[in-house]
Amino acid sequence: MLSAYMRMKYPNIVAGALAASAPLLSVAGLGDPTQFFRDVTADFQKSSPGCVPAVRKAFQQLEDLFLSGAYDEISSRMATCNKISNKEDVYQLFGFARNAFTMMAMMNYPYKTDFMGQLPANPVKVSCEQILAHRDPIQGLAALVGVFYNSSGSAQCYDIYQLYQSCADPTGCGIGPDAKAWDYQVCTEINLTFSSNNVTDMFPEMPFTEAMREQYCGRKWHVRPRAHWLQTNFWGGDLKSASNIIFSNGDLDPWAGGGINSSLSPSLIALTVRGGAHHLDLRGHNPADPPSVTQVRKLEASIINSWVKAAGMERAQEKRPGASAVSMSIPTASGLRVRLPLQ
């Protein structure tokens, strides 16, 4: 995403950009607020048809237990380190669980990774197998989120406030200093107001509106979000006057729905990685790579090579001794004509 912004902002020094898994529309506050968690759900549905119904059932049972005040049972079956004792704890538990699905959908690579967490190959498939192997849907949900939160298998319980921290990005900010920096940036420059609704997705109803974000950011950072800042500074969805940008997206990446998925011009090129998760094309070669990403990488390299050659020829032309500048003449108010060079 930042590479696209660099090309758009400084085309005089940046010859081209590869914007992999870049949700330019989503971060500018454009698009459907239900898209992200709908697409996370679709990833799990594709992996195993029985997975989404099992997840829905688990969340519904947790909701029923909450409404009946059975907090101890929620704590026990979800293996939380601290007892769930109120509505806020339940909401935190829902966010904690939803975040695991988000991360596994993003990192759904066909091989083991340690990028943003230790994950097995095909973590969506592995996690679905976990919930489907349990007779108790809630315990199955606890096992499913453990694929992300307890990859070593050594944790006896989940500290839901330590492992997940809610923030201005409903898809998750992570934890630690980097998370705080991202949270502040999402409060000032980036617009992410995705919601889950339990209709188009499998998650509990957890709305996150502009008003809710504004309230959170004012309380947390004493700032007010600038809803149109990205649209003003980086054009929002009106990108056709840009050039030399590749927009690549994996069809397993939930961020893809907020990006550019159709070519906008001969030099604004959209590429799709079939069977690819978040910026798979930027990762190194792996024998488990799907054929599509190998093809996309070759095409990207060819396009970038053409940009570099064209930029080199342009620079050489500019430096050629005796190269004459093209100029034009314009009349002045006094009737005289002044010649101006055209760069």
Side-chain angles (χ1 to χ4, degrees):
M1 188 165 68
L2 295 181
S3 67
Y5 292 160
M6 284 285 288
R7 168 62 184 171
M8 293 157 64
K9 194 80 169 180
Y10 306 107
N12 58 316
I13 56 175
V14 178
L18 169 54
S21 297
L24 269 73
L25 303 180
S26 292
V27 298
L30 304 171
D32 183 355
T34 69
Q35 170 266 315
F36 188 86
F37 293 112
R38 182 191 66 220
D39 289 353
V40 171
T41 300
D43 282 350
F44 283 80
Q45 180 67 27
K46 291 174 191 174
S47 177
S48 174
C51 191
V52 168
V55 172
R56 284 184 179 275
K57 188 174 182 179
F59 278 123
Q60 184 58 58
Q61 288 189 4
L62 286 171
E63 182 95 19
D64 293 342
L65 289 172
F66 158 62
L67 292 174
S68 66
Y71 294 122
D72 287 347
E73 191 170 351
I74 294 175
S75 304
S76 174
R77 290 165 69 182
M78 277 300 293
T80 61
C81 296
N82 300 306
K83 285 190 176 183
I84 303 296
S85 60
N86 52 47
K87 179 181 179 180
E88 288 70 29
D89 288 346
V90 173
Y91 204 80
Q92 175 72 13
L93 177 65
F94 286 164
F96 158 84
R98 191 180 68 176
N99 185 63
F101 286 92
T102 294
M103 298 305 295
M104 288 188 285
M106 286 174 56
M107 309 302 137
N108 195 24
Y109 302 123
Y111 45 81
K112 291 182 179 180
T113 58
D114 57 4
F115 174 59
M116 298 180 75
Q118 299 283 341
L119 286 172
N122 304 301
V124 169
K125 178 176 181 291
V126 171
S127 61
C128 281
E129 290 170 349
Q130 287 291 324
I131 193 168
L132 293 174
H134 284 74
R135 295 180 119 187
D136 178 357
I138 294 179
Q139 290 182 338
L141 179 62
L144 182 153
V145 302
V147 174
F148 176 67
Y149 289 117
N150 187 24
S151 58
S152 67
S154 60
Q156 299 301 307
C157 61
Y158 299 122
D159 186 335
I160 63 173
Y161 283 96
Q162 180 64 36
L163 293 170
Y164 170 73
Q165 297 170 10
S166 62
C167 64
D169 179 356
T171 72
C173 287
I175 55 177
D178 290 347
K180 293 180 179 179
W182 179 248
D183 190 26
Y184 181 80
Q185 188 170 11
V186 176
C187 273
T188 53
E189 296 178 347
I190 295 173
N191 301 284
L192 292 172
T193 51
F194 295 121
S195 299
S196 58
N197 57 26
N198 200 233
V199 177
T200 59
D201 58 65
M202 62 184 168
F203 304 108
E205 184 177 356
M206 300 177 69
F208 191 67
T209 63
E210 290 284 357
M212 294 171 70
R213 183 169 74 112
E214 184 171 329
Q215 184 180 34
Y216 168 85
C217 294
R219 183 177 68 251
K220 177 77 174 185
W221 298 109
H222 307 292
V223 296
R224 184 175 183 178
R226 295 174 290 176
H228 302 291
W229 187 85
L230 268 179
Q231 294 182 41
T232 301
N233 285 272
F234 293 102
W235 315 356
D238 187 15
L239 305 174
K240 290 183 180 179
S241 59
S243 64
N244 289 11
I245 304 174
I246 300 170
F247 302 101
S248 63
N249 286 288
D251 64 355
L252 298 181
D253 184 11
W255 287 109
I260 307 299
N261 292 287
S262 297
S263 296
L264 302 177
S265 75
S267 70
L268 293 174
I269 304 162
L271 302 176
T272 299
V273 180
R274 304 294 176 190
H278 199 56
H279 53 55
L280 178 62
D281 50 327
L282 296 189
R283 298 182 63 83
H285 168 74
N286 189 287
D289 280 337
S292 177
V293 76
T294 301
Q295 297 166 5
V296 166
R297 285 170 181 154
K298 288 180 180 178
L299 183 54
E300 289 170 347
S302 175
I303 294 169
I304 292 170
N305 185 53
S306 71
W307 290 342
V308 172
K309 285 184 176 179
M313 292 175 62
E314 185 178 338
R315 298 293 189 275
Q317 179 70 25
E318 291 172 351
K319 293 179 180 179
R320 183 179 299 172
S324 59
V326 179
S327 63
M328 67 177 290
S329 63
I330 60 173
T332 66
S334 63
L336 298 174
R337 299 187 69 85
V338 177
R339 298 192 66 81
L340 298 176
L342 294 180
Q343 298 298 329

